[in-house]
Coordinates of all heavy atoms in Angstrom, one line a residue:
M92 N 0.8 -1.2 0.0 CA -0.1 0.1 0.1 C 0.9 1.3 0.0 O 1.9 1.3 0.8 CB -0.9 0.0 1.2 CG -1.9 1.2 1.2 SD -3.3 0.8 2.3 CE -2.7 1.4 3.8
H93 N 0.4 2.1 -0.9 CA 1.3 3.3 -1.0 C 0.4 4.5 -0.8 O -0.6 4.8 -1.4 CB 1.9 3.4 -2.5 CG 2.9 4.7 -2.6 ND1 4.0 4.9 -2.1 CD2 2.5 5.8 -3.3 CE1 4.5 6.0 -2.5 NE2 3.6 6.6 -3.2
K94 N 0.8 5.5 0.2 CA 0.0 6.6 0.5 C 0.8 7.9 0.2 O 2.0 8.0 0.2 CB -0.3 6.8 2.0 CG -1.2 5.7 2.6 CD -1.4 5.9 4.1 CE -2.3 4.7 4.6 NZ -2.4 5.0 6.2
S95 N 0.0 8.8 -0.3 CA 0.6 10.1 -0.6 C -0.4 11.2 -0.5 O -1.6 11.0 -0.4 CB 1.2 10.2 -2.1 OG 0.3 9.7 -3.1
D96 N 0.0 12.5 -0.3 CA -0.8 13.6 -0.2 C -0.7 14.4 -1.5 O 0.2 14.7 -2.0 CB -0.4 14.5 1.1 CG -0.7 13.7 2.4 OD1 -1.8 13.3 2.5 OD2 0.2 13.6 3.1
I97 N -2.1 14.7 -1.9 CA -2.2 15.4 -3.2 C -2.9 16.7 -2.9 O -3.8 16.8 -2.1 CB -3.1 14.7 -4.2 CG1 -2.5 13.2 -4.4 CG2 -3.2 15.5 -5.5 CD1 -1.3 13.2 -5.2
T98 N -2.5 17.9 -3.6 CA -3.3 19.0 -3.4 C -3.8 19.5 -4.8 O -3.1 19.4 -5.8 CB -2.2 20.2 -3.0 OG1 -1.7 19.8 -1.8 CG2 -3.0 21.5 -2.7
C99 N -5.0 19.9 -4.8 CA -5.7 20.3 -6.1 C -5.0 21.6 -6.5 O -5.0 22.6 -5.7 CB -7.1 20.6 -5.8 SG -7.9 21.1 -7.3
P100 N -4.5 21.6 -7.8 CA -3.8 22.9 -8.3 C -4.7 24.0 -8.6 O -4.3 25.1 -8.7 CB -3.2 22.4 -9.6 CG -4.1 21.2 -10.0 CD -4.5 20.6 -8.8
S101 N -6.0 23.7 -8.7 CA -6.9 24.8 -9.0 C -7.6 25.5 -7.6 O -7.7 26.7 -7.7 CB -8.0 24.0 -9.8 OG -8.8 25.0 -10.4
C102 N -8.0 24.7 -6.7 CA -8.7 25.3 -5.5 C -7.9 25.1 -4.2 O -8.4 25.7 -3.2 CB -10.1 24.7 -5.4 SG -10.2 23.0 -5.0
G103 N -6.9 24.3 -4.3 CA -6.1 24.0 -3.0 C -6.6 23.1 -2.0 O -6.1 22.9 -0.9
S104 N -7.7 22.3 -2.4 CA -8.2 21.2 -1.6 C -7.1 20.1 -1.4 O -6.3 19.8 -2.3 CB -9.4 20.6 -2.2 OG -10.4 21.5 -2.1
G105 N -7.0 19.5 -0.3 CA -6.0 18.5 0.1 C -6.6 17.1 -0.1 O -7.8 16.9 0.4
F106 N -5.9 16.2 -0.6 CA -6.4 14.8 -0.7 C -5.4 13.8 -0.1 O -4.2 13.9 -0.3 CB -6.8 14.4 -2.1 CG -7.8 15.3 -2.7 CD1 -7.3 16.4 -3.3 CD2 -9.2 15.0 -2.6 CE1 -8.4 17.3 -4.0 CE2 -10.1 15.9 -3.1 CZ -9.8 17.0 -3.8
R107 N -5.9 12.7 0.5 CA -4.9 11.5 0.8 C -5.2 10.4 -0.3 O -6.3 10.1 -0.6 CB -5.3 11.1 2.1 CG -4.6 9.7 2.4 CD -3.2 9.6 2.4 NE -2.6 10.7 3.3 CZ -2.4 10.6 4.4 NH1 -2.6 9.6 5.2 NH2 -1.9 11.7 5.2
R108 N -4.1 10.2 -1.0 CA -4.3 9.2 -2.1 C -3.7 7.9 -1.7 O -2.5 7.9 -1.2 CB -3.4 9.7 -3.4 CG -3.4 8.8 -4.6 CD -2.5 9.5 -5.6 NE -2.3 8.7 -6.9 CZ -1.7 7.6 -7.0 NH1 -1.0 7.2 -6.1 NH2 -1.8 7.0 -8.2
I109 N -4.5 6.8 -1.8 CA -4.0 5.5 -1.4 C -4.1 4.5 -2.5 O -5.0 4.5 -3.4 CB -5.0 4.9 -0.3 CG1 -4.9 5.8 0.9 CG2 -4.5 3.4 0.1 CD1 -6.1 5.6 1.9
Q110 N -2.9 3.9 -2.8 CA -2.8 3.1 -4.1 C -2.4 1.6 -3.6 O -1.5 1.4 -2.7 CB -1.6 3.6 -4.8 CG -1.2 2.7 -6.1 CD -0.2 3.4 -6.9 OE1 -0.1 4.5 -7.3 NE2 0.9 2.6 -7.1
L111 N -3.2 0.6 -4.1 CA -3.0 -0.8 -3.7 C -2.5 -1.5 -5.1 O -3.3 -1.7 -5.9 CB -4.3 -1.4 -3.2 CG -4.9 -0.8 -2.0 CD1 -6.2 -1.5 -1.7 CD2 -3.9 -1.1 -0.8
T112 N -1.2 -1.8 -5.1 CA -0.7 -2.4 -6.3 C -1.2 -3.8 -6.5 O -1.1 -4.4 -7.6 CB 0.8 -2.3 -6.4 OG1 1.4 -2.8 -5.2 CG2 1.3 -0.9 -6.6
S113 N -1.6 -4.4 -5.4 CA -2.0 -5.9 -5.5 C -3.4 -6.2 -6.0 O -3.8 -7.2 -6.2 CB -1.8 -6.5 -4.1 OG -2.6 -5.8 -3.2
E114 N -4.2 -5.0 -6.0 CA -5.5 -5.2 -6.4 C -5.9 -4.3 -7.8 O -5.4 -3.3 -7.9 CB -6.5 -4.8 -5.3 CG -6.5 -5.6 -4.1 CD -7.4 -5.1 -3.1 OE1 -8.6 -4.7 -3.4 OE2 -7.2 -5.1 -1.9
P115 N -6.7 -5.0 -8.5 CA -7.1 -4.2 -9.8 C -8.0 -3.1 -9.4 O -8.8 -3.2 -8.5 CB -7.7 -5.4 -10.7 CG -8.2 -6.3 -9.7 CD -7.3 -6.3 -8.6
G116 N -8.0 -2.1 -10.2 CA -9.0 -1.0 -10.0 C -9.8 -0.7 -11.1 O -10.2 -1.6 -12.0
T117 N -10.5 0.5 -11.2 CA -11.4 0.7 -12.2 C -10.9 1.9 -13.1 O -10.1 2.7 -12.7 CB -12.7 1.3 -11.6 OG1 -13.2 0.4 -10.6 CG2 -13.8 1.4 -12.6
K118 N -10.9 1.6 -14.4 CA -10.5 2.6 -15.4 C -11.4 3.8 -15.4 O -12.6 3.7 -15.3 CB -10.5 1.9 -16.8 CG -9.6 2.8 -17.8 CD -9.6 2.1 -19.1 CE -8.8 2.9 -20.0 NZ -8.6 2.3 -21.4
G119 N -10.8 5.0 -15.4 CA -11.6 6.2 -15.3 C -10.6 7.5 -14.9 O -9.5 7.4 -15.1
E120 N -11.3 8.3 -14.1 CA -10.5 9.4 -13.6 C -11.1 9.9 -12.3 O -12.2 9.6 -11.9 CB -10.4 10.6 -14.6 CG -11.8 11.1 -14.9 CD -11.8 12.2 -16.0 OE1 -10.8 12.5 -16.5 OE2 -12.9 12.9 -16.1
Y121 N -10.3 10.7 -11.5 CA -10.7 11.3 -10.3 C -10.7 12.8 -10.5 O -9.8 13.3 -10.8 CB -9.9 10.8 -9.1 CG -10.4 11.5 -7.8 CD1 -11.5 10.8 -7.0 CD2 -9.9 12.5 -7.2 CE1 -12.0 11.3 -6.0 CE2 -10.4 13.1 -6.1 CZ -11.5 12.6 -5.4 OH -12.0 13.0 -4.4
R122 N -11.9 13.3 -10.2 CA -12.0 14.8 -10.3 C -12.3 15.4 -8.9 O -12.8 14.7 -8.0 CB -13.3 15.1 -11.1 CG -13.1 14.9 -12.6 CD -14.3 15.2 -13.4 NE -14.0 15.1 -14.8 CZ -13.6 16.1 -15.6 NH1 -13.4 17.2 -15.0 NH2 -13.4 15.9 -16.9
C123 N -11.7 16.5 -8.7 CA -11.8 17.3 -7.4 C -13.3 17.6 -7.2 O -14.0 18.2 -8.1 CB -11.1 18.6 -7.5 SG -11.4 19.6 -6.1
P124 N -13.9 17.1 -6.1 CA -15.2 17.3 -5.8 C -15.7 18.7 -5.5 O -16.9 19.1 -5.5 CB -15.6 16.4 -4.5 CG -14.2 16.3 -3.8 CD -13.1 16.3 -5.0
V125 N -14.6 19.7 -5.3 CA -14.9 21.0 -5.0 C -15.0 21.8 -6.3 O -15.9 22.6 -6.5 CB -13.7 21.6 -4.0 CG1 -14.0 23.1 -3.8 CG2 -13.7 20.8 -2.8
C126 N -14.1 21.5 -7.2 CA -14.0 22.5 -8.3 C -14.0 21.7 -9.6 O -13.9 22.2 -10.8 CB -12.7 23.3 -8.4 SG -11.2 22.4 -8.5
D127 N -14.0 20.4 -9.6 CA -14.2 19.5 -10.7 C -13.0 19.4 -11.7 O -13.1 19.1 -12.8 CB -15.4 19.9 -11.6 CG -16.1 18.7 -12.3 OD1 -16.1 17.7 -11.8 OD2 -16.6 19.0 -13.4
T128 N -11.8 19.8 -11.1 CA -10.6 19.6 -11.9 C -10.2 18.1 -11.9 O -10.2 17.6 -10.9 CB -9.5 20.5 -11.3 OG1 -9.9 21.9 -11.4 CG2 -8.1 20.2 -12.0
A129 N -9.8 17.6 -13.1 CA -9.3 16.1 -13.2 C -7.9 16.1 -12.5 O -7.0 16.7 -13.0 CB -9.4 15.7 -14.6
L130 N -7.9 15.3 -11.4 CA -6.5 15.1 -10.7 C -5.7 14.0 -11.3 O -4.6 14.0 -11.2 CB -6.9 15.0 -9.1 CG -7.5 16.2 -8.6 CD1 -7.9 15.8 -7.0 CD2 -6.6 17.4 -8.7
E131 N -6.4 12.9 -11.7 CA -5.7 11.8 -12.1 C -6.4 10.9 -13.2 O -7.7 10.8 -12.8 CB -5.2 11.0 -10.9 CG -4.3 9.8 -11.3 CD -3.8 8.9 -10.1 OE1 -3.9 9.5 -9.0 OE2 -3.1 8.0 -10.4
Q132 N -5.8 10.3 -14.1 CA -6.5 9.3 -14.9 C -5.9 7.9 -14.4 O -4.9 7.7 -14.1 CB -5.9 9.5 -16.4 CG -6.0 10.9 -17.0 CD -7.4 11.3 -17.3 OE1 -8.2 10.5 -17.7 NE2 -7.7 12.5 -17.3
F133 N -7.1 7.1 -14.2 CA -6.8 5.7 -13.8 C -6.7 4.9 -15.0 O -7.5 4.8 -15.8 CB -7.9 5.2 -12.8 CG -8.1 6.1 -11.7 CD1 -9.3 6.3 -11.1 CD2 -7.0 6.7 -10.9 CE1 -9.6 7.1 -10.1 CE2 -7.1 7.4 -9.8 CZ -8.5 7.6 -9.4
S134 N -5.6 4.0 -15.0 CA -5.5 3.0 -16.1 C -6.2 1.7 -15.8 O -6.5 0.9 -16.6 CB -4.0 2.7 -16.3 OG -3.4 2.2 -15.3
G135 N -6.5 1.6 -14.4 CA -7.3 0.3 -14.0 C -6.4 -0.9 -13.6 O -7.0 -1.9 -13.3
D136 N -5.1 -0.7 -13.8 CA -4.3 -1.8 -13.4 C -3.9 -1.9 -11.9 O -3.4 -2.9 -11.4 CB -2.8 -1.9 -14.2 CG -2.0 -0.7 -14.0 OD1 -2.8 0.3 -13.6 OD2 -0.9 -0.7 -14.2
K137 N -4.4 -0.8 -11.1 CA -4.1 -0.8 -9.7 C -5.2 -0.1 -9.1 O -5.9 0.7 -9.7 CB -2.8 -0.3 -9.3 CG -2.3 0.9 -10.1 CD -0.8 1.1 -9.6 CE -0.1 2.2 -10.4 NZ 0.0 1.8 -11.9
F138 N -5.5 -0.4 -7.8 CA -6.6 0.3 -7.1 C -6.2 1.5 -6.5 O -5.2 1.5 -5.8 CB -7.2 -0.7 -6.0 CG -8.3 -0.1 -5.3 CD1 -9.6 -0.1 -5.7 CD2 -8.1 0.5 -4.0 CE1 -10.6 0.3 -5.1 CE2 -9.2 1.1 -3.4 CZ -10.4 0.9 -4.0
I139 N -6.8 2.7 -6.8 CA -6.5 4.0 -6.3 C -7.8 4.6 -5.6 O -8.7 4.7 -6.2 CB -5.9 4.9 -7.3 CG1 -4.6 4.2 -8.0 CG2 -5.6 6.3 -6.8 CD1 -4.2 4.8 -9.3
A140 N -7.6 5.1 -4.4 CA -8.6 5.6 -3.7 C -8.2 7.0 -3.3 O -7.0 7.3 -2.8 CB -9.0 4.9 -2.5
Y141 N -9.1 8.0 -3.4 CA -8.9 9.4 -2.9 C -9.8 9.6 -1.7 O -11.0 9.4 -1.7 CB -9.1 10.5 -4.0 CG -7.9 10.7 -5.0 CD1 -7.7 9.8 -5.9 CD2 -7.0 11.7 -4.7 CE1 -6.6 10.1 -6.8 CE2 -6.0 11.9 -5.5 CZ -5.8 11.1 -6.6 OH -4.7 11.4 -7.4
R142 N -9.2 10.4 -0.8 CA -10.1 11.0 0.4 C -9.8 12.4 0.6 O -8.6 12.8 0.6 CB -9.9 10.2 1.6 CG -10.8 10.4 2.7 CD -10.7 9.3 3.7 NE -9.5 9.6 4.6 CZ -9.5 10.4 5.7 NH1 -10.7 10.9 6.1 NH2 -8.4 10.7 6.4
L143 N -10.8 13.2 0.6 CA -10.7 14.6 0.8 C -10.3 14.9 2.1 O -10.9 14.5 3.2 CB -12.0 15.4 0.5 CG -12.0 16.9 0.5 CD1 -11.1 17.5 -0.4 CD2 -13.5 17.2 0.3
T144 N -9.1 15.7 2.4 CA -8.7 16.0 3.8 C -8.8 17.4 4.1 O -9.1 17.8 5.3 CB -7.2 15.4 4.0 OG1 -6.5 16.1 2.9 CG2 -7.2 14.0 3.9
V145 N -8.7 18.3 3.1 CA -8.7 19.7 3.3 C -9.5 20.3 2.4 O -9.4 20.2 1.2 CB -7.3 20.3 3.2 CG1 -7.4 21.9 3.5 CG2 -6.3 19.7 4.2
Q146 N -10.6 21.0 2.9 CA -11.7 21.7 2.0 C -11.6 23.1 2.2 O -12.2 23.6 3.2 CB -13.0 21.1 2.1 CG -13.9 21.3 0.9 CD -15.1 20.5 1.0 OE1 -15.4 19.7 2.0 NE2 -16.1 20.6 0.1
P147 N -10.9 24.0 1.3 CA -10.7 25.4 1.6 C -12.1 26.2 1.7 O -12.2 27.1 2.5 CB -9.8 25.8 0.5 CG -9.4 24.7 -0.3 CD -10.2 23.6 0.2
E148 N -12.9 25.9 0.8 CA -14.2 26.6 0.7 C -14.9 26.5 2.0 O -15.5 27.4 2.5 CB -15.0 26.2 -0.5 CG -14.4 26.3 -1.8 CD -14.2 27.8 -2.1 OE1 -14.9 28.6 -1.8 OE2 -13.1 28.2 -2.8
L149 N -15.1 25.2 2.4 CA -15.8 24.9 3.6 C -15.2 25.5 4.9 O -16.0 26.1 5.7 CB -16.0 23.4 3.7 CG -17.0 22.9 4.8 CD1 -18.3 23.3 4.4 CD2 -16.9 21.3 4.8
S150 N -13.9 25.5 5.0 CA -13.3 25.9 6.2 C -13.4 27.4 6.3 O -13.5 28.1 7.3 CB -11.9 25.6 6.3 OG -11.1 26.0 5.2
R151 N -13.5 28.1 5.0 CA -13.6 29.6 5.0 C -14.9 29.9 5.6 O -15.1 31.0 6.3 CB -13.3 30.0 3.6 CG -13.0 31.5 3.6 CD -12.7 31.9 2.1 NE -11.7 31.2 1.4 CZ -11.6 30.9 0.2 NH1 -12.7 31.3 -0.7 NH2 -10.7 30.2 -0.5
V152 N -16.0 29.1 5.1 CA -17.3 29.5 5.5 C -17.5 29.2 7.1 O -18.2 30.0 7.7 CB -18.3 28.5 4.8 CG1 -19.8 28.6 5.3 CG2 -18.4 28.9 3.2
M153 N -16.9 28.3 7.6 CA -17.1 28.0 9.1 C -16.4 29.0 10.0 O -16.7 28.9 11.1 CB -16.5 26.5 9.3 CG -17.6 25.5 8.7 SD -17.2 23.9 9.3 CE -15.5 23.6 8.7
K154 N -15.5 29.8 9.4 CA -14.7 30.8 10.4 C -15.6 31.9 10.9 O -16.4 32.3 10.1 CB -13.5 31.2 9.6 CG -12.4 30.4 9.9 CD -11.1 30.9 9.1 CE -10.0 29.7 9.0 NZ -8.9 30.0 8.0
Ligands
ZN471 ZN1 -10.1 21.5 -6.7

């Protein structure tokens, strides 16, 4: 299992990216749920999951 942190270049949202090389994934892409920027294209040969960790728009509203 490989973990890394990704930041959306468009809106600054932070993501935790988890990659499992031992399991097949789904072909497609992951888009930022905040601004809809495509962050990664999946080839489907490994399982990749994204989890939103920092949401700048929401934290600004809550202050
Ligand atoms: Zn974004």
Side-chain angles (χ1 to χ4, degrees):
M92 189 161 86
H93 180 74
K94 290 182 185 177
S95 54
D96 290 306
I97 305 288
T98 302
C99 175
S101 190
C102 72
S104 292
F106 300 89
R107 171 59 51 87
R108 178 184 183 278
I109 297 166
Q110 178 180 306
L111 300 174
T112 50
S113 57
E114 293 186 34
T117 312
K118 194 174 181 180
E120 63 181 9
Y121 182 77
R122 287 178 176 270
C123 176
V125 180
C126 70
D127 207 37
T128 296
L130 296 177
E131 182 175 356
Q132 308 283 332
F133 303 141
S134 61
D136 61 336
K137 39 191 176 294
F138 181 82
I139 296 165
Y141 273 85
R142 196 167 72 88
L143 183 63
T144 53
V145 182
Q146 197 169 359
E148 297 295 326
L149 191 62
S150 61
R151 202 180 302 151
V152 168
M153 289 194 297
K154 270 175 194 169

